[in-house]
Amino acid sequence: MIDYAQFNTAQFNLDEIAAGQTHDDLRQMVNEMIDAQLAMIAECTNADIIFEPSDDEANDPEAASAAEKDLAWTLAHVVVHCCASSEEAAFLASELARGVPNHGRSRHEPHWTTLHTVQQCRDTLEESRRLRLATLQVWPLKPDLANSCEVWPGGPVANATARFILGHVHEHSHFDQIQEIVRQAQAARGQ
C-alpha cells in the first residue's frame, strides 16, 4: 500500500505512485481508510462527537459561514469533511477513467451539525465506503489513464488513479487531527 508520509514532502512523484496501483489496491485503500477512522472513534461517546476541541490554528477558508471560519472542528466535522473529500475524488476519478473531460467539482458535504452521535459517524463512514467502492465498479476494464486534469489551480495534474489516490491522501492528512480531538474529548471526560 501507499506510504502516506511521502506526500509530506515536495519530492514525491504522483505519476510513479499511481502507476503501480491496481483496482484491488484502490479498494484496499478505501477499506483501510474507513477501518482506521472507525478504530479511532471506537471508544468515543456521543458527547465526544460534538466536543469542541481547542485548536489555536483553526482556520477554514471554505467554511459555510464567516462565523464558522475560525471554529475548531469537532469529530463530526472531520468525518463529514474526510468522507466528502474522498468521495469527490472517487467520483471524479471514475469520470476520468471513462474518458470524460473534467468539468469541475462533484462534492456534497453535509453540514457537520447534522451528526450528533457515534452511530451517525459510523454510518457516514460506512456509507462513504459503499459509495467509493461503487465508483470503482464503473471504471471500464481498460480505463483511460491518459485522460487527466489539474486537481486545483496550480496543483498537480492527475489521471483517474492519481485523482482517486489524492482524495485519500487528503483524508489521511486529517488522521492526526482526529486522534487529537479524541484525546482532548477523553481528557475532558476524565479518561
Short mmCIF file of all heavy atoms in Angstrom, two decimals, residues 45-90:
data_model
loop_
_atom_site.label_atom_id
_atom_site.label_comp_id
_atom_site.label_asym_id
_atom_site.label_seq_id
_atom_site.Cartn_x
_atom_site.Cartn_y
_atom_site.Cartn_z
N THR A 45 -17.80 8.47 22.84
CA THR A 45 -19.19 8.59 23.26
C THR A 45 -19.87 9.61 22.35
O THR A 45 -19.19 10.32 21.59
CB THR A 45 -19.27 9.08 24.72
OG1 THR A 45 -18.76 10.42 24.77
CG2 THR A 45 -18.48 8.18 25.66
N ASN A 46 -21.17 9.72 22.48
CA ASN A 46 -21.88 10.73 21.70
C ASN A 46 -21.37 12.13 22.02
O ASN A 46 -21.26 12.98 21.13
CB ASN A 46 -23.38 10.64 21.95
CG ASN A 46 -23.98 9.38 21.35
OD1 ASN A 46 -23.39 8.74 20.48
ND2 ASN A 46 -25.15 9.00 21.83
N ALA A 47 -21.03 12.37 23.27
CA ALA A 47 -20.51 13.68 23.67
C ALA A 47 -19.19 13.99 22.97
O ALA A 47 -18.90 15.15 22.64
CB ALA A 47 -20.34 13.75 25.18
N ASP A 48 -18.38 12.97 22.73
CA ASP A 48 -17.09 13.17 22.06
C ASP A 48 -17.28 13.65 20.62
O ASP A 48 -16.45 14.38 20.08
CB ASP A 48 -16.28 11.88 22.04
CG ASP A 48 -15.91 11.38 23.43
OD1 ASP A 48 -15.94 12.19 24.39
OD2 ASP A 48 -15.60 10.18 23.55
N ILE A 49 -18.34 13.21 19.97
CA ILE A 49 -18.58 13.54 18.57
C ILE A 49 -18.82 15.03 18.38
O ILE A 49 -18.42 15.62 17.38
CB ILE A 49 -19.77 12.71 18.02
CG1 ILE A 49 -19.46 11.22 18.08
CG2 ILE A 49 -20.16 13.14 16.60
CD1 ILE A 49 -18.17 10.79 17.40
N ILE A 50 -19.47 15.66 19.36
CA ILE A 50 -19.78 17.09 19.25
C ILE A 50 -18.88 17.94 20.15
O ILE A 50 -19.04 19.15 20.21
CB ILE A 50 -21.27 17.35 19.55
CG1 ILE A 50 -21.65 16.86 20.93
CG2 ILE A 50 -22.14 16.72 18.46
CD1 ILE A 50 -23.06 17.24 21.37
N PHE A 51 -17.93 17.31 20.82
CA PHE A 51 -16.97 18.02 21.68
C PHE A 51 -16.22 19.06 20.86
O PHE A 51 -15.74 18.77 19.77
CB PHE A 51 -16.00 17.02 22.31
CG PHE A 51 -14.87 17.65 23.06
CD1 PHE A 51 -15.06 18.14 24.34
CD2 PHE A 51 -13.61 17.76 22.47
CE1 PHE A 51 -14.01 18.74 25.04
CE2 PHE A 51 -12.55 18.35 23.15
CZ PHE A 51 -12.76 18.84 24.44
N GLU A 52 -16.13 20.28 21.39
CA GLU A 52 -15.39 21.35 20.70
C GLU A 52 -13.98 21.41 21.25
O GLU A 52 -13.76 21.91 22.36
CB GLU A 52 -16.11 22.68 20.88
CG GLU A 52 -17.47 22.70 20.21
CD GLU A 52 -18.22 24.01 20.39
OE1 GLU A 52 -17.59 25.03 20.77
OE2 GLU A 52 -19.43 24.01 20.16
N PRO A 53 -13.01 20.93 20.48
CA PRO A 53 -11.63 20.89 20.96
C PRO A 53 -10.99 22.28 20.93
O PRO A 53 -11.51 23.21 20.34
CB PRO A 53 -10.95 19.96 19.96
CG PRO A 53 -11.70 20.18 18.70
CD PRO A 53 -13.13 20.41 19.12
N SER A 54 -9.84 22.35 21.54
CA SER A 54 -9.03 23.56 21.47
C SER A 54 -8.10 23.41 20.26
O SER A 54 -7.45 22.39 20.09
CB SER A 54 -8.19 23.69 22.75
OG SER A 54 -7.30 24.77 22.63
N ASP A 55 -8.10 24.42 19.40
CA ASP A 55 -7.25 24.38 18.21
C ASP A 55 -6.88 25.81 17.84
O ASP A 55 -7.64 26.52 17.20
CB ASP A 55 -7.98 23.70 17.04
CG ASP A 55 -7.10 23.54 15.80
OD1 ASP A 55 -5.97 24.07 15.79
OD2 ASP A 55 -7.56 22.90 14.85
N ASP A 56 -5.68 26.23 18.27
CA ASP A 56 -5.22 27.59 18.02
C ASP A 56 -5.00 27.87 16.54
O ASP A 56 -4.90 29.03 16.13
CB ASP A 56 -3.92 27.86 18.78
CG ASP A 56 -4.12 27.83 20.29
OD1 ASP A 56 -5.27 28.07 20.74
OD2 ASP A 56 -3.15 27.55 21.01
N GLU A 57 -4.89 26.83 15.73
CA GLU A 57 -4.64 27.02 14.29
C GLU A 57 -5.90 26.88 13.45
O GLU A 57 -5.83 26.85 12.22
CB GLU A 57 -3.58 26.00 13.83
CG GLU A 57 -2.23 26.22 14.51
CD GLU A 57 -1.20 25.20 14.08
OE1 GLU A 57 -1.36 24.60 13.00
OE2 GLU A 57 -0.25 25.00 14.84
N ALA A 58 -7.07 26.82 14.09
CA ALA A 58 -8.33 26.66 13.36
C ALA A 58 -8.50 27.81 12.37
O ALA A 58 -8.46 28.98 12.75
CB ALA A 58 -9.50 26.60 14.33
N ASN A 59 -8.65 27.46 11.10
CA ASN A 59 -8.85 28.44 10.03
C ASN A 59 -9.37 27.70 8.82
O ASN A 59 -8.64 26.97 8.17
CB ASN A 59 -7.53 29.15 9.70
CG ASN A 59 -7.69 30.14 8.57
OD1 ASN A 59 -8.80 30.52 8.21
ND2 ASN A 59 -6.59 30.56 8.00
N ASP A 60 -10.64 27.88 8.55
CA ASP A 60 -11.29 27.17 7.44
C ASP A 60 -11.78 28.19 6.41
O ASP A 60 -12.88 28.70 6.53
CB ASP A 60 -12.44 26.33 7.96
CG ASP A 60 -13.13 25.53 6.86
OD1 ASP A 60 -12.66 25.56 5.71
OD2 ASP A 60 -14.14 24.88 7.17
N PRO A 61 -10.97 28.47 5.39
CA PRO A 61 -11.38 29.46 4.38
C PRO A 61 -12.59 29.00 3.57
O PRO A 61 -13.25 29.81 2.94
CB PRO A 61 -10.14 29.62 3.49
CG PRO A 61 -9.31 28.41 3.75
CD PRO A 61 -9.65 27.93 5.13
N GLU A 62 -12.92 27.71 3.61
CA GLU A 62 -14.08 27.17 2.89
C GLU A 62 -15.29 26.99 3.79
O GLU A 62 -16.26 26.32 3.42
CB GLU A 62 -13.72 25.82 2.24
CG GLU A 62 -12.53 25.87 1.31
CD GLU A 62 -12.79 26.69 0.05
OE1 GLU A 62 -13.93 26.67 -0.46
OE2 GLU A 62 -11.86 27.37 -0.40
N ALA A 63 -15.26 27.57 4.99
CA ALA A 63 -16.35 27.39 5.95
C ALA A 63 -17.68 27.83 5.36
O ALA A 63 -17.74 28.71 4.50
CB ALA A 63 -16.06 28.18 7.22
N ALA A 64 -18.74 27.21 5.85
CA ALA A 64 -20.09 27.51 5.36
C ALA A 64 -20.51 28.94 5.67
O ALA A 64 -21.35 29.50 4.96
CB ALA A 64 -21.09 26.53 5.97
N SER A 65 -19.92 29.53 6.70
CA SER A 65 -20.24 30.91 7.05
C SER A 65 -19.02 31.57 7.69
O SER A 65 -18.12 30.88 8.18
CB SER A 65 -21.42 30.97 8.02
OG SER A 65 -21.04 30.48 9.29
N ALA A 66 -19.01 32.89 7.71
CA ALA A 66 -17.90 33.62 8.33
C ALA A 66 -17.79 33.29 9.81
O ALA A 66 -16.69 33.23 10.37
CB ALA A 66 -18.09 35.13 8.13
N ALA A 67 -18.91 33.03 10.46
CA ALA A 67 -18.92 32.70 11.88
C ALA A 67 -18.22 31.37 12.16
O ALA A 67 -17.72 31.16 13.27
CB ALA A 67 -20.35 32.66 12.40
N GLU A 68 -18.16 30.48 11.16
CA GLU A 68 -17.55 29.16 11.35
C GLU A 68 -16.08 29.12 10.93
O GLU A 68 -15.41 28.12 11.14
CB GLU A 68 -18.33 28.11 10.56
CG GLU A 68 -19.74 27.91 11.05
CD GLU A 68 -20.50 26.89 10.22
OE1 GLU A 68 -19.89 26.18 9.40
OE2 GLU A 68 -21.72 26.81 10.38
N LYS A 69 -15.59 30.20 10.34
CA LYS A 69 -14.24 30.20 9.76
C LYS A 69 -13.15 29.81 10.76
O LYS A 69 -12.24 29.06 10.42
CB LYS A 69 -13.93 31.57 9.17
CG LYS A 69 -12.58 31.64 8.49
CD LYS A 69 -12.31 33.03 7.94
CE LYS A 69 -10.94 33.14 7.31
NZ LYS A 69 -9.85 32.95 8.25
N ASP A 70 -13.24 30.30 11.98
CA ASP A 70 -12.18 30.05 12.96
C ASP A 70 -12.57 29.05 14.04
O ASP A 70 -11.89 28.95 15.06
CB ASP A 70 -11.75 31.38 13.60
CG ASP A 70 -11.15 32.33 12.57
OD1 ASP A 70 -10.37 31.87 11.72
OD2 ASP A 70 -11.47 33.54 12.61
N LEU A 71 -13.64 28.30 13.81
CA LEU A 71 -14.05 27.29 14.77
C LEU A 71 -13.15 26.05 14.69
O LEU A 71 -12.81 25.61 13.60
CB LEU A 71 -15.49 26.84 14.50
CG LEU A 71 -16.63 27.79 14.83
CD1 LEU A 71 -17.96 27.14 14.49
CD2 LEU A 71 -16.60 28.20 16.29
N ALA A 72 -12.82 25.52 15.85
CA ALA A 72 -12.13 24.23 15.87
C ALA A 72 -13.12 23.16 15.42
O ALA A 72 -14.30 23.22 15.76
CB ALA A 72 -11.62 23.94 17.27
N TRP A 73 -12.64 22.20 14.66
CA TRP A 73 -13.52 21.16 14.12
C TRP A 73 -13.82 20.09 15.15
O TRP A 73 -12.91 19.61 15.84
CB TRP A 73 -12.87 20.52 12.90
CG TRP A 73 -12.88 21.38 11.68
CD1 TRP A 73 -13.15 22.72 11.61
CD2 TRP A 73 -12.62 20.97 10.35
NE1 TRP A 73 -13.06 23.15 10.31
CE2 TRP A 73 -12.74 22.10 9.52
CE3 TRP A 73 -12.29 19.75 9.78
CZ2 TRP A 73 -12.54 22.05 8.14
CZ3 TRP A 73 -12.08 19.69 8.41
CH2 TRP A 73 -12.22 20.82 7.61
N THR A 74 -15.08 19.70 15.21
CA THR A 74 -15.49 18.56 16.03
C THR A 74 -15.19 17.27 15.25
O THR A 74 -14.87 17.31 14.05
CB THR A 74 -17.00 18.62 16.32
OG1 THR A 74 -17.70 18.51 15.08
CG2 THR A 74 -17.37 19.92 17.03
N LEU A 75 -15.33 16.13 15.93
CA LEU A 75 -15.16 14.85 15.22
C LEU A 75 -16.19 14.73 14.10
O LEU A 75 -15.87 14.26 13.00
CB LEU A 75 -15.31 13.68 16.18
CG LEU A 75 -14.10 13.34 17.02
CD1 LEU A 75 -14.44 12.27 18.04
CD2 LEU A 75 -12.94 12.90 16.15
N ALA A 76 -17.42 15.17 14.35
CA ALA A 76 -18.45 15.12 13.32
C ALA A 76 -18.01 15.91 12.09
O ALA A 76 -18.19 15.46 10.96
CB ALA A 76 -19.77 15.67 13.86
N HIS A 77 -17.40 17.07 12.31
CA HIS A 77 -16.95 17.92 11.21
C HIS A 77 -15.86 17.23 10.40
O HIS A 77 -15.90 17.20 9.17
CB HIS A 77 -16.45 19.25 11.78
CG HIS A 77 -16.31 20.33 10.77
ND1 HIS A 77 -16.39 21.65 11.11
CD2 HIS A 77 -16.08 20.32 9.44
CE1 HIS A 77 -16.23 22.41 10.02
NE2 HIS A 77 -16.03 21.60 9.00
N VAL A 78 -14.90 16.65 11.08
CA VAL A 78 -13.80 15.99 10.38
C VAL A 78 -14.32 14.78 9.60
O VAL A 78 -13.92 14.55 8.45
CB VAL A 78 -12.67 15.56 11.35
CG1 VAL A 78 -11.55 14.87 10.60
CG2 VAL A 78 -12.12 16.77 12.10
N VAL A 79 -15.23 14.03 10.18
CA VAL A 79 -15.76 12.85 9.50
C VAL A 79 -16.48 13.24 8.21
O VAL A 79 -16.22 12.68 7.14
CB VAL A 79 -16.68 12.02 10.43
CG1 VAL A 79 -17.49 11.00 9.65
CG2 VAL A 79 -15.85 11.33 11.51
N VAL A 80 -17.39 14.22 8.28
CA VAL A 80 -18.12 14.59 7.05
C VAL A 80 -17.17 15.18 6.01
O VAL A 80 -17.32 14.94 4.81
CB VAL A 80 -19.33 15.53 7.29
CG1 VAL A 80 -20.38 14.86 8.14
CG2 VAL A 80 -18.92 16.87 7.84
N HIS A 81 -16.16 15.93 6.47
CA HIS A 81 -15.20 16.52 5.55
C HIS A 81 -14.35 15.45 4.86
O HIS A 81 -14.17 15.48 3.64
CB HIS A 81 -14.31 17.52 6.28
CG HIS A 81 -13.24 18.09 5.42
ND1 HIS A 81 -13.48 19.06 4.47
CD2 HIS A 81 -11.91 17.80 5.34
CE1 HIS A 81 -12.35 19.36 3.85
NE2 HIS A 81 -11.38 18.60 4.35
N CYS A 82 -13.82 14.53 5.63
CA CYS A 82 -13.00 13.46 5.06
C CYS A 82 -13.79 12.63 4.06
O CYS A 82 -13.30 12.33 2.96
CB CYS A 82 -12.44 12.56 6.17
SG CYS A 82 -11.10 13.29 7.11
N CYS A 83 -14.99 12.27 4.43
CA CYS A 83 -15.82 11.47 3.53
C CYS A 83 -16.13 12.23 2.25
O CYS A 83 -15.99 11.69 1.15
CB CYS A 83 -17.10 11.04 4.23
SG CYS A 83 -16.83 9.80 5.53
N ALA A 84 -16.52 13.49 2.38
CA ALA A 84 -16.85 14.29 1.19
C ALA A 84 -15.64 14.44 0.27
O ALA A 84 -15.78 14.36 -0.95
CB ALA A 84 -17.38 15.65 1.62
N SER A 85 -14.47 14.64 0.84
CA SER A 85 -13.27 14.84 0.02
C SER A 85 -12.90 13.58 -0.76
O SER A 85 -12.63 13.65 -1.96
CB SER A 85 -12.09 15.26 0.91
OG SER A 85 -12.35 16.50 1.52
N SER A 86 -12.90 12.45 -0.09
CA SER A 86 -12.54 11.21 -0.78
C SER A 86 -13.64 10.76 -1.74
O SER A 86 -13.35 10.20 -2.80
CB SER A 86 -12.22 10.10 0.22
OG SER A 86 -10.96 10.36 0.80
N GLU A 87 -14.89 11.00 -1.39
CA GLU A 87 -15.98 10.68 -2.32
C GLU A 87 -15.88 11.53 -3.59
O GLU A 87 -16.04 11.02 -4.70
CB GLU A 87 -17.34 10.90 -1.65
CG GLU A 87 -17.66 9.87 -0.59
CD GLU A 87 -18.82 10.31 0.31
OE1 GLU A 87 -19.59 11.22 -0.07
OE2 GLU A 87 -18.94 9.73 1.41
N GLU A 88 -15.61 12.82 -3.41
CA GLU A 88 -15.46 13.69 -4.58
C GLU A 88 -14.35 13.17 -5.49
O GLU A 88 -14.52 13.07 -6.71
CB GLU A 88 -15.16 15.12 -4.15
CG GLU A 88 -14.91 16.05 -5.33
CD GLU A 88 -14.60 17.48 -4.93
OE1 GLU A 88 -14.12 17.71 -3.80
OE2 GLU A 88 -14.82 18.37 -5.77
N ALA A 89 -13.21 12.85 -4.90
CA ALA A 89 -12.09 12.34 -5.69
C ALA A 89 -12.48 11.04 -6.41
O ALA A 89 -12.14 10.84 -7.58
CB ALA A 89 -10.88 12.10 -4.79
N ALA A 90 -13.20 10.17 -5.73
CA ALA A 90 -13.59 8.90 -6.31
C ALA A 90 -14.55 9.09 -7.48
O ALA A 90 -14.41 8.44 -8.53
CB ALA A 90 -14.23 8.00 -5.24
#
